[in-house]
Amino acid sequence: TQLLEQSPQFLSIQEGENLTVYCNSSSVFSSLQWYRQEPGEGPVLLVTVVTGGEVKKLKRLTFQFGDARKDSSLHITAAQPGDTGLYLCAGAGSGGSNYKLTFGKGTLLTVNP
Amino acid sequence: ETGVTQTPRHLVMGMTNKKSLKCEQHLGHNAMYWYKQSAKKPLELMFVYSLEERVENNSVPSRFSPECPNSSHLFLHLHTLQPEDSALYLCASSQEGGVDYGYTFGSGTRLTVV
């Protein structure tokens, strides 16, 4: 069973602060994705990282895939209230499945004005 | 309409009722999924349909019955549910073989079993 551990589970910060959330596993994934879920809505895909060591930027969000493709981080610079939500990481397995994702429990981020 | 649409958004049902959740996608995807999201748990994969055939049933109780009549529609038929089945039920779609491109999720159905 491939498990993804996300930390921290909860994070409450003030507007303008920086933060990093983590997604770790003992398993290797062919790719890793980050989603953001707002209350009452489904998760929305933010980014997919595929290559070990890859770094992708999406405005104030920076995503990194670990060299061994077992972990990932999401860094937000100058957080804003609109960044509030549940951040989920999901790994695509390297066990031959071409459709299945494994999700972490998520990090619930609250950015206070 | 684009994206993945789920109806109803909210559903309250008694333990003896029968109801159905509907999911529709117009993205041209050929894989569709049902997930259950409960508090403090990771998203739980329930069923996967690829090219309209069920390819995975993740040990889901028989009181949940999926149906995929075509590549654009997915249903989840519910009967004699238990209170612990109360959760957010999410439908998603993707391109078969293209999981690296991610899922597109619907907004979910918030189910309460009383």
mmCIF file of all heavy atoms in Angstrom, chain A residues 9-10 30-31 33 35 37 40-45 48 50 86 88 92 97-105, chain B residues 9 33 35 37 40-43 45 48 55-56 58 88 90 95-103 105-107:
data_model
loop_
_atom_site.group_PDB
_atom_site.id
_atom_site.type_symbol
_atom_site.label_atom_id
_atom_site.label_comp_id
_atom_site.label_asym_id
_atom_site.label_seq_id
_atom_site.Cartn_x
_atom_site.Cartn_y
_atom_site.Cartn_z
ATOM 1 N N GLN A 9 -0.827 19.088 9.581
ATOM 2 C CA GLN A 9 -2.223 18.785 9.283
ATOM 3 C C GLN A 9 -3.048 20.063 9.236
ATOM 4 O O GLN A 9 -3.964 20.189 8.437
ATOM 5 C CB GLN A 9 -2.766 17.840 10.347
ATOM 6 C CG GLN A 9 -4.137 17.278 10.027
ATOM 7 C CD GLN A 9 -4.588 16.259 11.055
ATOM 8 O OE1 GLN A 9 -3.843 15.910 11.970
ATOM 9 N NE2 GLN A 9 -5.818 15.794 10.931
ATOM 10 N N PHE A 10 -2.706 21.010 10.143
ATOM 11 C CA PHE A 10 -3.389 22.302 10.201
ATOM 12 C C PHE A 10 -2.335 23.405 10.242
ATOM 13 O O PHE A 10 -1.279 23.238 10.864
ATOM 14 C CB PHE A 10 -4.268 22.413 11.453
ATOM 15 C CG PHE A 10 -5.340 21.369 11.551
ATOM 16 C CD1 PHE A 10 -5.133 20.231 12.305
ATOM 17 C CD2 PHE A 10 -6.542 21.531 10.880
ATOM 18 C CE1 PHE A 10 -6.117 19.258 12.400
ATOM 19 C CE2 PHE A 10 -7.530 20.560 10.972
ATOM 20 C CZ PHE A 10 -7.322 19.421 11.722
ATOM 21 N N SER A 30 5.374 7.828 -9.963
ATOM 22 C CA SER A 30 5.714 8.263 -11.314
ATOM 23 C C SER A 30 5.461 9.760 -11.474
ATOM 24 O O SER A 30 6.121 10.413 -12.292
ATOM 25 C CB SER A 30 4.919 7.464 -12.345
ATOM 26 O OG SER A 30 3.533 7.659 -12.154
ATOM 27 N N SER A 31 4.519 10.279 -10.739
ATOM 28 C CA SER A 31 4.263 11.720 -10.735
ATOM 29 C C SER A 31 3.554 12.072 -9.445
ATOM 30 O O SER A 31 3.014 11.184 -8.770
ATOM 31 C CB SER A 31 3.414 12.145 -11.932
ATOM 32 O OG SER A 31 2.090 11.649 -11.810
ATOM 33 N N GLN A 33 0.905 15.151 -7.712
ATOM 34 C CA GLN A 33 0.053 16.281 -8.008
ATOM 35 C C GLN A 33 -0.361 16.972 -6.724
ATOM 36 O O GLN A 33 -0.468 16.349 -5.675
ATOM 37 C CB GLN A 33 -1.193 15.786 -8.748
ATOM 38 C CG GLN A 33 -0.840 15.098 -10.060
ATOM 39 C CD GLN A 33 -1.935 14.209 -10.567
ATOM 40 O OE1 GLN A 33 -3.079 14.341 -10.175
ATOM 41 N NE2 GLN A 33 -1.607 13.296 -11.477
ATOM 42 N N TYR A 35 -3.440 19.513 -5.225
ATOM 43 C CA TYR A 35 -4.777 20.033 -5.420
ATOM 44 C C TYR A 35 -5.098 20.996 -4.272
ATOM 45 O O TYR A 35 -4.603 20.843 -3.160
ATOM 46 C CB TYR A 35 -5.822 18.909 -5.389
ATOM 47 C CG TYR A 35 -5.750 17.928 -6.539
ATOM 48 C CD1 TYR A 35 -4.816 16.905 -6.545
ATOM 49 C CD2 TYR A 35 -6.635 18.013 -7.606
ATOM 50 C CE1 TYR A 35 -4.754 15.996 -7.589
ATOM 51 C CE2 TYR A 35 -6.597 17.105 -8.656
ATOM 52 C CZ TYR A 35 -5.648 16.103 -8.644
ATOM 53 O OH TYR A 35 -5.601 15.199 -9.681
ATOM 54 N N GLN A 37 -8.593 22.404 -2.290
ATOM 55 C CA GLN A 37 -10.025 22.198 -2.140
ATOM 56 C C GLN A 37 -10.588 23.266 -1.215
ATOM 57 O O GLN A 37 -10.138 23.415 -0.081
ATOM 58 C CB GLN A 37 -10.322 20.805 -1.573
ATOM 59 C CG GLN A 37 -11.795 20.472 -1.483
ATOM 60 C CD GLN A 37 -12.045 19.071 -0.985
ATOM 61 O OE1 GLN A 37 -11.171 18.444 -0.397
ATOM 62 N NE2 GLN A 37 -13.234 18.549 -1.235
ATOM 63 N N GLY A 40 -16.991 23.076 0.495
ATOM 64 C CA GLY A 40 -18.157 22.856 -0.339
ATOM 65 C C GLY A 40 -17.859 22.586 -1.793
ATOM 66 O O GLY A 40 -18.791 22.517 -2.606
ATOM 67 N N GLU A 41 -16.592 22.451 -2.139
ATOM 68 C CA GLU A 41 -16.220 22.214 -3.530
ATOM 69 C C GLU A 41 -15.319 20.990 -3.644
ATOM 70 O O GLU A 41 -14.798 20.480 -2.647
ATOM 71 C CB GLU A 41 -15.485 23.429 -4.101
ATOM 72 C CG GLU A 41 -16.325 24.694 -4.129
ATOM 73 C CD GLU A 41 -17.528 24.590 -5.058
ATOM 74 O OE1 GLU A 41 -17.437 23.864 -6.072
ATOM 75 O OE2 GLU A 41 -18.565 25.228 -4.765
ATOM 76 N N GLY A 42 -15.122 20.526 -4.883
ATOM 77 C CA GLY A 42 -14.187 19.437 -5.109
ATOM 78 C C GLY A 42 -12.761 19.964 -5.246
ATOM 79 O O GLY A 42 -12.549 21.164 -5.453
ATOM 80 N N PRO A 43 -11.786 19.087 -5.129
ATOM 81 C CA PRO A 43 -10.384 19.511 -5.305
ATOM 82 C C PRO A 43 -10.130 20.012 -6.722
ATOM 83 O O PRO A 43 -10.700 19.497 -7.685
ATOM 84 C CB PRO A 43 -9.596 18.225 -5.038
ATOM 85 C CG PRO A 43 -10.526 17.348 -4.261
ATOM 86 C CD PRO A 43 -11.894 17.684 -4.755
ATOM 87 N N VAL A 44 -9.252 21.007 -6.831
ATOM 88 C CA VAL A 44 -8.871 21.561 -8.128
ATOM 89 C C VAL A 44 -7.375 21.363 -8.302
ATOM 90 O O VAL A 44 -6.591 21.711 -7.415
ATOM 91 C CB VAL A 44 -9.228 23.056 -8.218
ATOM 92 C CG1 VAL A 44 -8.707 23.646 -9.535
ATOM 93 C CG2 VAL A 44 -10.728 23.250 -8.118
ATOM 94 N N LEU A 45 -6.979 20.801 -9.440
ATOM 95 C CA LEU A 45 -5.574 20.527 -9.705
ATOM 96 C C LEU A 45 -4.781 21.828 -9.824
ATOM 97 O O LEU A 45 -5.162 22.740 -10.563
ATOM 98 C CB LEU A 45 -5.436 19.728 -10.999
ATOM 99 C CG LEU A 45 -4.019 19.366 -11.433
ATOM 100 C CD1 LEU A 45 -3.378 18.398 -10.439
ATOM 101 C CD2 LEU A 45 -4.017 18.779 -12.836
ATOM 102 N N THR A 48 1.232 19.355 -11.604
ATOM 103 C CA THR A 48 1.756 17.994 -11.634
ATOM 104 C C THR A 48 3.269 18.069 -11.796
ATOM 105 O O THR A 48 3.759 18.807 -12.667
ATOM 106 C CB THR A 48 1.178 17.195 -12.814
ATOM 107 O OG1 THR A 48 -0.235 17.134 -12.693
ATOM 108 C CG2 THR A 48 1.733 15.777 -12.837
ATOM 109 N N VAL A 50 6.715 15.652 -12.395
ATOM 110 C CA VAL A 50 6.971 14.334 -12.961
ATOM 111 C C VAL A 50 8.435 13.892 -12.788
ATOM 112 O O VAL A 50 8.714 12.725 -12.535
ATOM 113 C CB VAL A 50 6.619 14.330 -14.470
ATOM 114 C CG1 VAL A 50 6.917 12.979 -15.088
ATOM 115 C CG2 VAL A 50 5.160 14.692 -14.678
ATOM 116 N N LEU A 86 -7.907 23.478 1.700
ATOM 117 C CA LEU A 86 -7.290 22.192 2.007
ATOM 118 C C LEU A 86 -6.365 21.832 0.844
ATOM 119 O O LEU A 86 -6.809 21.734 -0.301
ATOM 120 C CB LEU A 86 -8.361 21.120 2.178
ATOM 121 C CG LEU A 86 -7.873 19.696 2.478
ATOM 122 C CD1 LEU A 86 -7.219 19.642 3.854
ATOM 123 C CD2 LEU A 86 -9.032 18.711 2.399
ATOM 124 N N LEU A 88 -4.100 19.168 -0.933
ATOM 125 C CA LEU A 88 -3.961 17.723 -1.033
ATOM 126 C C LEU A 88 -2.844 17.364 -1.997
ATOM 127 O O LEU A 88 -2.753 17.936 -3.080
ATOM 128 C CB LEU A 88 -5.255 17.094 -1.561
ATOM 129 C CG LEU A 88 -6.503 17.218 -0.694
ATOM 130 C CD1 LEU A 88 -7.744 16.948 -1.514
ATOM 131 C CD2 LEU A 88 -6.431 16.275 0.480
ATOM 132 N N ALA A 92 0.745 9.326 -8.359
ATOM 133 C CA ALA A 92 0.408 8.311 -9.355
ATOM 134 C C ALA A 92 1.401 7.172 -9.171
ATOM 135 O O ALA A 92 2.609 7.384 -9.201
ATOM 136 C CB ALA A 92 0.494 8.888 -10.754
ATOM 137 N N SER A 97 -0.334 0.926 -12.598
ATOM 138 C CA SER A 97 -1.640 1.553 -12.753
ATOM 139 C C SER A 97 -1.499 2.831 -13.549
ATOM 140 O O SER A 97 -0.678 3.681 -13.224
ATOM 141 C CB SER A 97 -2.230 1.865 -11.378
ATOM 142 O OG SER A 97 -3.362 2.702 -11.521
ATOM 143 N N ASN A 98 -2.311 2.967 -14.573
ATOM 144 C CA ASN A 98 -2.240 4.194 -15.363
ATOM 145 C C ASN A 98 -3.427 5.092 -15.107
ATOM 146 O O ASN A 98 -3.706 5.992 -15.886
ATOM 147 C CB ASN A 98 -2.140 3.855 -16.853
ATOM 148 C CG ASN A 98 -3.357 3.081 -17.341
ATOM 149 O OD1 ASN A 98 -4.265 2.796 -16.572
ATOM 150 N ND2 ASN A 98 -3.373 2.748 -18.609
ATOM 151 N N TYR A 99 -4.149 4.847 -14.018
ATOM 152 C CA TYR A 99 -5.308 5.691 -13.744
ATOM 153 C C TYR A 99 -5.480 5.996 -12.260
ATOM 154 O O TYR A 99 -6.256 6.837 -11.884
ATOM 155 C CB TYR A 99 -6.592 5.022 -14.252
ATOM 156 C CG TYR A 99 -6.808 3.624 -13.714
ATOM 157 C CD1 TYR A 99 -7.286 3.426 -12.417
ATOM 158 C CD2 TYR A 99 -6.514 2.514 -14.476
ATOM 159 C CE1 TYR A 99 -7.462 2.159 -11.911
ATOM 160 C CE2 TYR A 99 -6.689 1.237 -13.967
ATOM 161 C CZ TYR A 99 -7.169 1.057 -12.700
ATOM 162 O OH TYR A 99 -7.340 -0.207 -12.199
ATOM 163 N N LYS A 100 -4.773 5.332 -11.381
ATOM 164 C CA LYS A 100 -5.088 5.417 -9.955
ATOM 165 C C LYS A 100 -4.190 6.413 -9.239
ATOM 166 O O LYS A 100 -2.979 6.419 -9.428
ATOM 167 C CB LYS A 100 -4.927 4.043 -9.325
ATOM 168 C CG LYS A 100 -5.385 3.952 -7.889
ATOM 169 C CD LYS A 100 -5.316 2.505 -7.425
ATOM 170 C CE LYS A 100 -5.727 2.390 -5.973
ATOM 171 N NZ LYS A 100 -5.676 0.981 -5.528
ATOM 172 N N LEU A 101 -4.791 7.270 -8.420
ATOM 173 C CA LEU A 101 -4.057 8.195 -7.576
ATOM 174 C C LEU A 101 -4.210 7.801 -6.105
ATOM 175 O O LEU A 101 -5.270 7.362 -5.689
ATOM 176 C CB LEU A 101 -4.578 9.621 -7.750
ATOM 177 C CG LEU A 101 -4.299 10.334 -9.066
ATOM 178 C CD1 LEU A 101 -4.930 11.716 -9.061
ATOM 179 C CD2 LEU A 101 -2.794 10.452 -9.297
ATOM 180 N N THR A 102 -3.139 8.025 -5.337
ATOM 181 C CA THR A 102 -3.174 7.861 -3.887
ATOM 182 C C THR A 102 -3.115 9.249 -3.281
ATOM 183 O O THR A 102 -2.205 10.021 -3.574
ATOM 184 C CB THR A 102 -1.975 7.034 -3.398
ATOM 185 O OG1 THR A 102 -2.018 5.742 -3.997
ATOM 186 C CG2 THR A 102 -2.013 6.895 -1.884
ATOM 187 N N PHE A 103 -4.078 9.568 -2.408
ATOM 188 C CA PHE A 103 -4.156 10.896 -1.813
ATOM 189 C C PHE A 103 -3.655 10.892 -0.374
ATOM 190 O O PHE A 103 -3.834 9.925 0.366
ATOM 191 C CB PHE A 103 -5.608 11.392 -1.821
ATOM 192 C CG PHE A 103 -6.079 11.884 -3.148
ATOM 193 C CD1 PHE A 103 -6.583 10.996 -4.088
ATOM 194 C CD2 PHE A 103 -6.021 13.230 -3.477
ATOM 195 C CE1 PHE A 103 -7.020 11.437 -5.331
ATOM 196 C CE2 PHE A 103 -6.449 13.689 -4.707
ATOM 197 C CZ PHE A 103 -6.953 12.791 -5.628
ATOM 198 N N GLY A 104 -3.064 12.016 0.038
ATOM 199 C CA GLY A 104 -2.783 12.259 1.442
ATOM 200 C C GLY A 104 -4.024 12.829 2.126
ATOM 201 O O GLY A 104 -5.033 13.095 1.479
ATOM 202 N N LYS A 105 -3.941 13.012 3.464
ATOM 203 C CA LYS A 105 -5.078 13.538 4.215
ATOM 204 C C LYS A 105 -5.243 15.038 4.032
ATOM 205 O O LYS A 105 -6.297 15.598 4.309
ATOM 206 C CB LYS A 105 -4.920 13.232 5.704
ATOM 207 C CG LYS A 105 -5.066 11.771 6.063
ATOM 208 C CD LYS A 105 -4.980 11.593 7.575
ATOM 209 C CE LYS A 105 -5.083 10.129 7.951
ATOM 210 N NZ LYS A 105 -5.026 9.937 9.422
ATOM 211 N N ARG B 9 -26.377 18.457 -5.054
ATOM 212 C CA ARG B 9 -25.253 18.969 -4.251
ATOM 213 C C ARG B 9 -25.373 18.505 -2.798
ATOM 214 O O ARG B 9 -24.372 18.276 -2.125
ATOM 215 C CB ARG B 9 -25.211 20.493 -4.305
ATOM 216 C CG ARG B 9 -24.794 21.058 -5.643
ATOM 217 C CD ARG B 9 -23.347 20.705 -6.004
ATOM 218 N NE ARG B 9 -22.397 21.097 -4.986
ATOM 219 C CZ ARG B 9 -21.820 22.301 -4.924
ATOM 220 N NH1 ARG B 9 -22.099 23.229 -5.814
ATOM 221 N NH2 ARG B 9 -20.949 22.558 -3.956
ATOM 222 N N TYR B 33 -14.461 8.142 -11.838
ATOM 223 C CA TYR B 33 -14.185 7.623 -10.493
ATOM 224 C C TYR B 33 -15.232 8.118 -9.504
ATOM 225 O O TYR B 33 -15.746 9.238 -9.643
ATOM 226 C CB TYR B 33 -12.822 8.139 -9.994
ATOM 227 C CG TYR B 33 -11.692 8.040 -10.985
ATOM 228 C CD1 TYR B 33 -11.552 8.966 -12.009
ATOM 229 C CD2 TYR B 33 -10.749 7.015 -10.886
ATOM 230 C CE1 TYR B 33 -10.506 8.882 -12.911
ATOM 231 C CE2 TYR B 33 -9.701 6.933 -11.783
ATOM 232 C CZ TYR B 33 -9.594 7.862 -12.798
ATOM 233 O OH TYR B 33 -8.555 7.778 -13.700
ATOM 234 N N TYR B 35 -15.180 8.809 -5.382
ATOM 235 C CA TYR B 35 -14.398 8.885 -4.155
ATOM 236 C C TYR B 35 -15.319 9.263 -3.002
ATOM 237 O O TYR B 35 -16.282 10.010 -3.178
ATOM 238 C CB TYR B 35 -13.314 9.969 -4.252
ATOM 239 C CG TYR B 35 -12.025 9.528 -4.895
ATOM 240 C CD1 TYR B 35 -11.865 9.572 -6.274
ATOM 241 C CD2 TYR B 35 -10.964 9.080 -4.125
ATOM 242 C CE1 TYR B 35 -10.673 9.179 -6.859
ATOM 243 C CE2 TYR B 35 -9.763 8.695 -4.705
ATOM 244 C CZ TYR B 35 -9.637 8.741 -6.069
ATOM 245 O OH TYR B 35 -8.456 8.351 -6.648
ATOM 246 N N GLN B 37 -15.139 11.206 0.702
ATOM 247 C CA GLN B 37 -14.295 12.057 1.531
ATOM 248 C C GLN B 37 -14.956 12.238 2.893
ATOM 249 O O GLN B 37 -16.017 12.841 3.006
ATOM 250 C CB GLN B 37 -14.062 13.419 0.878
ATOM 251 C CG GLN B 37 -13.044 14.268 1.614
ATOM 252 C CD GLN B 37 -12.709 15.565 0.875
ATOM 253 O OE1 GLN B 37 -13.552 16.155 0.223
ATOM 254 N NE2 GLN B 37 -11.453 16.011 0.974
ATOM 255 N N LYS B 40 -11.005 13.824 8.465
ATOM 256 C CA LYS B 40 -9.793 13.245 9.028
ATOM 257 C C LYS B 40 -9.320 11.974 8.331
ATOM 258 O O LYS B 40 -8.540 11.207 8.898
ATOM 259 C CB LYS B 40 -9.951 12.978 10.533
ATOM 260 C CG LYS B 40 -10.259 14.227 11.329
ATOM 261 C CD LYS B 40 -10.368 13.933 12.807
ATOM 262 C CE LYS B 40 -10.712 15.192 13.582
ATOM 263 N NZ LYS B 40 -10.852 14.958 15.029
ATOM 264 N N LYS B 41 -9.800 11.747 7.128
ATOM 265 C CA LYS B 41 -9.357 10.579 6.360
ATOM 266 C C LYS B 41 -8.931 11.012 4.977
ATOM 267 O O LYS B 41 -9.459 11.994 4.444
ATOM 268 C CB LYS B 41 -10.493 9.559 6.218
ATOM 269 C CG LYS B 41 -10.857 8.814 7.471
ATOM 270 C CD LYS B 41 -11.883 7.740 7.129
ATOM 271 C CE LYS B 41 -12.280 6.931 8.323
ATOM 272 N NZ LYS B 41 -13.277 5.899 7.961
ATOM 273 N N PRO B 42 -8.003 10.292 4.363
ATOM 274 C CA PRO B 42 -7.687 10.602 2.960
ATOM 275 C C PRO B 42 -8.883 10.286 2.074
ATOM 276 O O PRO B 42 -9.764 9.511 2.461
ATOM 277 C CB PRO B 42 -6.524 9.656 2.641
ATOM 278 C CG PRO B 42 -6.065 9.115 3.933
ATOM 279 C CD PRO B 42 -7.193 9.186 4.880
ATOM 280 N N LEU B 43 -8.890 10.883 0.906
ATOM 281 C CA LEU B 43 -9.894 10.500 -0.085
ATOM 282 C C LEU B 43 -9.839 8.995 -0.307
ATOM 283 O O LEU B 43 -8.771 8.437 -0.542
ATOM 284 C CB LEU B 43 -9.631 11.218 -1.401
ATOM 285 C CG LEU B 43 -10.037 12.683 -1.485
ATOM 286 C CD1 LEU B 43 -9.422 13.338 -2.701
ATOM 287 C CD2 LEU B 43 -11.545 12.799 -1.538
ATOM 288 N N LEU B 45 -10.855 5.880 -2.578
ATOM 289 C CA LEU B 45 -11.324 5.461 -3.887
ATOM 290 C C LEU B 45 -12.367 4.366 -3.722
ATOM 291 O O LEU B 45 -12.129 3.371 -3.022
ATOM 292 C CB LEU B 45 -10.147 4.948 -4.720
ATOM 293 C CG LEU B 45 -10.471 4.449 -6.122
ATOM 294 C CD1 LEU B 45 -11.022 5.575 -6.990
ATOM 295 C CD2 LEU B 45 -9.232 3.838 -6.762
ATOM 296 N N VAL B 48 -13.749 2.630 -10.023
ATOM 297 C CA VAL B 48 -13.123 3.202 -11.213
ATOM 298 C C VAL B 48 -13.760 2.577 -12.438
ATOM 299 O O VAL B 48 -13.904 1.345 -12.505
ATOM 300 C CB VAL B 48 -11.601 2.923 -11.255
ATOM 301 C CG1 VAL B 48 -10.985 3.542 -12.500
ATOM 302 C CG2 VAL B 48 -10.921 3.432 -10.010
ATOM 303 N N VAL B 55 -13.197 -1.213 -13.558
ATOM 304 C CA VAL B 55 -11.880 -1.825 -13.450
ATOM 305 C C VAL B 55 -11.423 -1.941 -12.012
ATOM 306 O O VAL B 55 -10.437 -2.600 -11.719
ATOM 307 C CB VAL B 55 -10.821 -1.061 -14.273
ATOM 308 C CG1 VAL B 55 -11.157 -1.119 -15.747
ATOM 309 C CG2 VAL B 55 -10.701 0.381 -13.806
ATOM 310 N N GLU B 56 -12.165 -1.311 -11.108
ATOM 311 C CA GLU B 56 -11.787 -1.414 -9.709
ATOM 312 C C GLU B 56 -13.001 -1.213 -8.821
ATOM 313 O O GLU B 56 -13.794 -0.303 -9.035
ATOM 314 C CB GLU B 56 -10.716 -0.372 -9.353
ATOM 315 C CG GLU B 56 -10.171 -0.520 -7.943
ATOM 316 C CD GLU B 56 -8.719 -0.092 -7.816
ATOM 317 O OE1 GLU B 56 -8.040 0.052 -8.846
ATOM 318 O OE2 GLU B 56 -8.274 0.084 -6.676
ATOM 319 N N ASN B 58 -13.200 -1.066 -4.775
ATOM 320 C CA ASN B 58 -12.293 -1.063 -3.635
ATOM 321 C C ASN B 58 -12.956 -1.560 -2.364
ATOM 322 O O ASN B 58 -13.037 -0.841 -1.384
ATOM 323 C CB ASN B 58 -11.745 0.352 -3.431
ATOM 324 C CG ASN B 58 -10.249 0.383 -3.481
ATOM 325 O OD1 ASN B 58 -9.616 -0.507 -4.020
ATOM 326 N ND2 ASN B 58 -9.663 1.424 -2.925
ATOM 327 N N LEU B 88 -18.859 13.389 1.983
ATOM 328 C CA LEU B 88 -18.882 14.073 0.691
ATOM 329 C C LEU B 88 -18.483 13.045 -0.368
ATOM 330 O O LEU B 88 -17.414 12.438 -0.260
ATOM 331 C CB LEU B 88 -17.911 15.252 0.687
ATOM 332 C CG LEU B 88 -17.845 16.082 -0.600
ATOM 333 C CD1 LEU B 88 -19.153 16.840 -0.835
ATOM 334 C CD2 LEU B 88 -16.667 17.056 -0.550
ATOM 335 N N LEU B 90 -17.415 12.402 -4.105
ATOM 336 C CA LEU B 90 -16.822 13.138 -5.215
ATOM 337 C C LEU B 90 -16.700 12.254 -6.448
ATOM 338 O O LEU B 90 -16.271 11.106 -6.365
ATOM 339 C CB LEU B 90 -15.417 13.644 -4.835
ATOM 340 C CG LEU B 90 -15.366 14.748 -3.789
ATOM 341 C CD1 LEU B 90 -13.970 14.855 -3.200
ATOM 342 C CD2 LEU B 90 -15.783 16.070 -4.392
ATOM 343 N N GLN B 95 -8.206 11.202 -18.367
ATOM 344 C CA GLN B 95 -7.975 10.481 -19.608
ATOM 345 C C GLN B 95 -7.298 9.174 -19.270
ATOM 346 O O GLN B 95 -6.291 9.168 -18.550
ATOM 347 C CB GLN B 95 -7.101 11.314 -20.547
ATOM 348 C CG GLN B 95 -7.073 10.824 -21.972
ATOM 349 C CD GLN B 95 -8.441 10.781 -22.619
ATOM 350 O OE1 GLN B 95 -9.340 11.524 -22.268
ATOM 351 N NE2 GLN B 95 -8.602 9.881 -23.570
ATOM 352 N N GLU B 96 -7.839 8.057 -19.696
ATOM 353 C CA GLU B 96 -7.277 6.751 -19.402
ATOM 354 C C GLU B 96 -5.844 6.692 -19.908
ATOM 355 O O GLU B 96 -5.566 7.017 -21.062
ATOM 356 C CB GLU B 96 -8.117 5.669 -20.080
ATOM 357 C CG GLU B 96 -8.002 4.297 -19.430
ATOM 358 C CD GLU B 96 -6.910 3.423 -20.037
ATOM 359 O OE1 GLU B 96 -6.384 3.797 -21.107
ATOM 360 O OE2 GLU B 96 -6.589 2.387 -19.472
ATOM 361 N N GLY B 97 -4.944 6.328 -18.995
ATOM 362 C CA GLY B 97 -3.532 6.340 -19.349
ATOM 363 C C GLY B 97 -2.887 7.693 -19.148
ATOM 364 O O GLY B 97 -1.687 7.844 -19.333
ATOM 365 N N GLY B 98 -3.670 8.669 -18.735
ATOM 366 C CA GLY B 98 -3.122 10.014 -18.572
ATOM 367 C C GLY B 98 -3.246 10.535 -17.166
ATOM 368 O O GLY B 98 -3.453 11.727 -16.958
ATOM 369 N N VAL B 99 -3.110 9.630 -16.175
ATOM 370 C CA VAL B 99 -3.297 10.063 -14.796
ATOM 371 C C VAL B 99 -2.281 11.125 -14.404
ATOM 372 O O VAL B 99 -2.524 11.940 -13.525
ATOM 373 C CB VAL B 99 -3.227 8.852 -13.842
ATOM 374 C CG1 VAL B 99 -1.802 8.299 -13.769
ATOM 375 C CG2 VAL B 99 -3.715 9.222 -12.460
ATOM 376 N N ASP B 100 -1.140 11.169 -15.062
ATOM 377 C CA ASP B 100 -0.160 12.200 -14.770
ATOM 378 C C ASP B 100 -0.691 13.588 -15.061
ATOM 379 O O ASP B 100 -0.136 14.580 -14.583
ATOM 380 C CB ASP B 100 1.126 11.968 -15.576
ATOM 381 C CG ASP B 100 1.927 10.776 -15.050
ATOM 382 O OD1 ASP B 100 1.639 10.325 -13.915
ATOM 383 O OD2 ASP B 100 2.821 10.306 -15.758
ATOM 384 N N TYR B 101 -1.734 13.682 -15.840
ATOM 385 C CA TYR B 101 -2.322 14.987 -16.132
ATOM 386 C C TYR B 101 -3.377 15.373 -15.113
ATOM 387 O O TYR B 101 -3.950 16.453 -15.184
ATOM 388 C CB TYR B 101 -2.912 14.999 -17.540
ATOM 389 C CG TYR B 101 -1.859 14.798 -18.608
ATOM 390 C CD1 TYR B 101 -1.692 13.562 -19.220
ATOM 391 C CD2 TYR B 101 -1.019 15.840 -18.981
ATOM 392 C CE1 TYR B 101 -0.711 13.373 -20.176
ATOM 393 C CE2 TYR B 101 -0.043 15.659 -19.932
ATOM 394 C CZ TYR B 101 0.109 14.425 -20.529
ATOM 395 O OH TYR B 101 1.075 14.238 -21.471
ATOM 396 N N GLY B 102 -3.652 14.478 -14.175
ATOM 397 C CA GLY B 102 -4.540 14.824 -13.082
ATOM 398 C C GLY B 102 -5.989 14.508 -13.328
ATOM 399 O O GLY B 102 -6.393 14.152 -14.432
ATOM 400 N N TYR B 103 -6.734 14.602 -12.258
ATOM 401 C CA TYR B 103 -8.168 14.403 -12.300
ATOM 402 C C TYR B 103 -8.870 15.755 -12.379
ATOM 403 O O TYR B 103 -8.374 16.753 -11.850
ATOM 404 C CB TYR B 103 -8.664 13.764 -11.004
ATOM 405 C CG TYR B 103 -8.306 12.324 -10.753
ATOM 406 C CD1 TYR B 103 -8.693 11.723 -9.561
ATOM 407 C CD2 TYR B 103 -7.596 11.548 -11.656
ATOM 408 C CE1 TYR B 103 -8.404 10.407 -9.275
ATOM 409 C CE2 TYR B 103 -7.291 10.230 -11.382
ATOM 410 C CZ TYR B 103 -7.697 9.666 -10.189
ATOM 411 O OH TYR B 103 -7.407 8.362 -9.901
ATOM 412 N N PHE B 105 -12.311 17.062 -10.827
ATOM 413 C CA PHE B 105 -13.342 16.687 -9.856
ATOM 414 C C PHE B 105 -14.599 17.505 -10.043
ATOM 415 O O PHE B 105 -14.548 18.671 -10.470
ATOM 416 C CB PHE B 105 -12.844 16.929 -8.427
ATOM 417 C CG PHE B 105 -11.904 15.892 -7.907
ATOM 418 C CD1 PHE B 105 -10.538 16.016 -8.079
ATOM 419 C CD2 PHE B 105 -12.378 14.775 -7.226
ATOM 420 C CE1 PHE B 105 -9.653 15.062 -7.596
ATOM 421 C CE2 PHE B 105 -11.508 13.818 -6.735
ATOM 422 C CZ PHE B 105 -10.148 13.958 -6.921
ATOM 423 N N GLY B 106 -15.723 16.903 -9.677
ATOM 424 C CA GLY B 106 -16.941 17.655 -9.511
ATOM 425 C C GLY B 106 -16.966 18.319 -8.140
ATOM 426 O O GLY B 106 -16.031 18.156 -7.341
ATOM 427 N N SER B 107 -18.037 19.054 -7.876
ATOM 428 C CA SER B 107 -18.159 19.771 -6.598
ATOM 429 C C SER B 107 -18.612 18.863 -5.467
ATOM 430 O O SER B 107 -18.585 19.266 -4.307
ATOM 431 C CB SER B 107 -19.131 20.939 -6.733
ATOM 432 O OG SER B 107 -18.630 21.874 -7.657
#
